[in-house]
Amino acid sequence: FPSHDRYTPVTITGYRDGLLGCWGREGAAELYGWLVAHRTLQAQNFDYVRHRSTQMGESVNVNSIGDLRKFNNAQWFQTLKLLEGKGNERAIYCQPDAGNLGYNVGALLYERLLGEFGHQQVMGWWYELRTSSDWKVVFKKVFKLDIDDWYNQSAIPYLIKEYQAWP
């Protein structure tokens, strides 16, 4: 990975990273942190897959809105809408009802985005926030897909599969 300060949401968005939404901001920090740690801390036995599983387990066990392993499409959709956060004209913050899911579920959402669209397109999404204060408009512009459609067609099936497979 390139130098950390060149590829942070803060820098790429032109200091508008708070507009990414709750999962968009916190999930990015988690996923890219895990990837960098996996690459740089292997000598200290940091393993991405093991860490990811531990983080998923924390959200399954601590989660106050139910067992994520048993969520259906509608429950996931409602949860993802909570994880979008509550915003004002300058920033979007996590809602207390969502707990820490913006971090762990957000990281899995980024896994899916990267798998589908690649790193450069995700960075394009961040960069385009310089042109709009609405992350959903920018998401649609960059990924050519409405966020709710992406949730239903791709993100939710991925989350269901990953959480059902969690031990």
Side-chain angles (χ1 to χ4, degrees):
F1 289 100
S3 133
H4 178 266
D5 54 333
R6 286 185 46 219
Y7 288 94
T8 64
V10 173
T11 307
I12 294 171
T13 63
Y15 297 90
R16 296 172 64 121
D17 60 301
L19 298 175
L20 278 169
C22 178
W23 74 257
R25 184 174 190 210
E26 303 306 342
E30 287 293 300
L31 179 70
Y32 282 101
W34 298 351
L35 292 171
V36 169
H38 179 76
R39 181 171 178 179
T40 59
L41 299 176
Q42 286 179 341
Q44 289 86 7
N45 293 321
F46 183 92
D47 177 77
Y48 175 86
V49 174
R50 187 173 54 240
H51 185 74
R52 177 187 186 269
S53 180
T54 300
Q55 294 303 308
M56 286 177 71
E58 286 183 11
S59 63
V60 166
N61 295 328
V62 176
N63 176 12
S64 63
I65 60 174
D67 185 341
L68 299 178
R69 294 170 292 184
K70 298 176 182 174
F71 269 27
N72 62 31
N73 289 24
Q75 289 169 303
W76 270 117
F77 187 79
Q78 181 181 8
T79 300
L80 293 178
K81 297 310 276 183
L82 272 177
L83 295 181
E84 289 179 355
K86 182 177 181 181
N88 60 39
E89 70 279 356
R90 291 177 301 173
I92 298 175
Y93 302 97
C94 297
Q95 295 186 52
D97 297 353
N100 288 327
L101 293 179
Y103 298 89
N104 302 332
V105 171
L108 295 179
L109 293 173
Y110 268 98
E111 278 184 359
R112 188 67 182 156
L113 275 176
L114 290 170
E116 280 185 82
F117 301 104
H119 174 73
Q120 289 304 323
Q121 204 160 351
V122 171
M123 295 301 104
W125 174 38
W126 292 0
Y127 189 80
E128 284 296 319
L129 273 176
R130 294 169 180 239
T131 66
S132 173
S133 62
D134 188 333
W135 71 271
K136 293 177 186 180
V137 168
V138 175
F139 187 96
K140 187 172 186 173
K141 177 181 178 183
V142 171
F143 298 113
K144 311 291 188 241
L145 193 61
D146 180 77
I147 188 64
D148 289 352
D149 292 338
W150 182 73
Y151 287 160
N152 286 312
Q153 295 168 17
S154 185
I156 291 171
Y158 182 71
L159 291 169
I160 288 172
K161 179 177 78 75
E162 292 302 310
Y163 274 97
Q164 285 178 351
W166 186 83

